[in-house]
Amino acid sequence: MALYAIGDIHGRLDLLAAMHEAIAAEIARDRPADWRIVHLGDYVDRGPDSSGVIEFLVEAGRRDRRNLFLAGNHELGMLDFLAKPDLNGLFARYGGPATARSYGVDIEQGSAQEAAAALAAAMPSAHMDFLHRLAFSASFGDFFFCHAGIKPGVPLENQSERDLVWIREPFLTSPDLHPKLVVHGHTPGPEAEIMPNRVNIDTLAWSSGRLTALAMAGAGKSIIEVSENGAVQRSEAVTP
C-alpha cells in the first residue's frame, strides 16, 4: 500500500489542489496495489479559502473513500465557536475571521451569537457533516497518523483526543521510540522535521506558500512539497 500524509492546509486551496494533482500523477505512474491519502487536519483559518478547502475535501471523500480526514485543533475551535460563540476563543482570535469571510460572513460585526448564527446559516450542510465526522487518528502498518502527536508512554489506543490534536511537549522533545512512527503536523517549521520517532510536515502553508506531504511506499519515505509558484519537489526523507 502506498501511503501519503498531507500537512496543515489552513485555507490554501491552491496548494491542496496542486498536492492532490502531484499525488494522483504518482499513483497513476506507480500503480500501487492500494493507497491511502491521510489529511492531518487544520484545514481552516488564516488562509484565504477555507470554505473551498472543505468543499474540495468533501468531494475527494465522495470520489474515493481512500481519502481520509483527521481533526485538527482549528476544526474543533470552529465547531466550538458555532456551539458556544465566543469572540475571545480560538476560532475568533486565530484566523476565524478569514474562514468566515470565505463563506461571505463578517464575524467581526455584531455579537458573537449573531456571528455564529450567520456562519452556520452560510455553511453547506455537507461542510458541517464533514467537520463532525473527522477522525482523531489513523494507523497503517508501522505508521500512526494524528494532527499534533501523542503522549509518550501511553498506548496508542489509549491516547486522549485532546493530546492527539493539541500536544506539543513532552512529545516533541521525547527521544523514545513510540510503538509506531508518528506522522503529524500542528507545530509549524520551515521544512519537514524527520526524526527517528516522528515526522512533522507542517510547513506553515498559509504564509510560506509551501504545502508538504510525506510519501511512504515499501521501505522508502520521501517528502513532496508543492509551492505557490507551481513547483513540485520530491526528496528522500532521511532520518538523522
Side-chain angles (χ1 to χ4, degrees):
M1 180 187 293
L3 293 170
Y4 297 88
I6 299 177
D8 304 39
I9 300 162
H10 282 300
R12 290 300 302 259
L13 175 60
D14 56 337
L15 299 178
L16 174 62
M19 181 63 78
H20 267 255
E21 184 176 343
I23 292 173
E26 285 203 2
I27 291 173
R29 181 195 68 202
D30 299 339
R31 298 183 179 180
D34 202 357
W35 56 267
R36 298 289 187 278
I37 301 175
V38 184
H39 303 76
L40 297 180
D42 277 7
Y43 313 121
V44 302
D45 296 349
R46 296 182 169 139
D49 197 359
S50 293
S51 64
V53 166
I54 294 181
E55 180 65 20
F56 184 99
L57 297 177
V58 167
E59 289 302 318
R62 285 174 176 165
R63 286 195 308 273
D64 200 307
R65 295 179 64 182
R66 290 175 289 188
N67 286 288
L68 307 177
F69 312 103
L70 305 185
N73 57 303
H74 282 264
E75 285 73 57
L76 299 188
M78 185 176 182
L79 289 174
D80 285 345
F81 178 79
L82 293 170
K84 298 178 180 179
D86 180 2
L87 293 177
N88 292 311
L90 169 70
F91 180 71
R93 293 175 59 197
Y94 295 97
T99 296
R101 284 193 295 272
S102 73
Y103 287 99
V105 174
D106 184 357
I107 65 169
E108 297 176 304
Q109 300 293 323
S111 69
Q113 289 73 20
E114 290 170 335
L119 179 57
M123 291 179 64
S125 60
H127 290 204
M128 195 74 76
D129 291 343
F130 173 83
L131 293 174
H132 280 288
R133 292 176 181 174
L134 293 172
F136 284 87
S137 66
S139 183
F140 295 94
D142 294 329
F143 302 96
F144 183 84
F145 304 90
C146 59
H147 176 63
I150 64 170
K151 181 172 286 187
V154 176
L156 296 178
E157 63 273 17
N158 294 336
Q159 294 289 326
S160 73
E161 293 179 353
R162 179 171 179 80
D163 283 335
L164 290 170
V165 299
W166 277 107
I167 198 169
R168 286 199 167 100
E169 295 300 344
F171 169 67
L172 294 176
T173 55
S174 173
D176 299 332
L177 294 179
H178 306 304
K180 298 188 178 190
L181 181 71
V182 179
V183 183
H184 68 99
H186 182 58
T187 300
E191 58 187 19
E193 185 181 17
I194 304 163
M195 306 297 289
N197 58 358
R198 63 180 181 85
V199 177
N200 177 12
I201 51 174
D202 180 2
T203 49
L204 205 68
W206 69 274
S207 65
S208 71
R210 295 181 292 108
L211 180 64
T212 301
L214 177 67
M216 297 144 281
K221 298 190 293 292
S222 58
I223 297 295
I224 304 173
E225 182 180 284
V226 297
S227 303
E228 58 192 358
N229 63 7
V232 179
Q233 295 183 337
R234 181 170 184 143
S235 59
E236 183 181 357
V238 179
T239 302

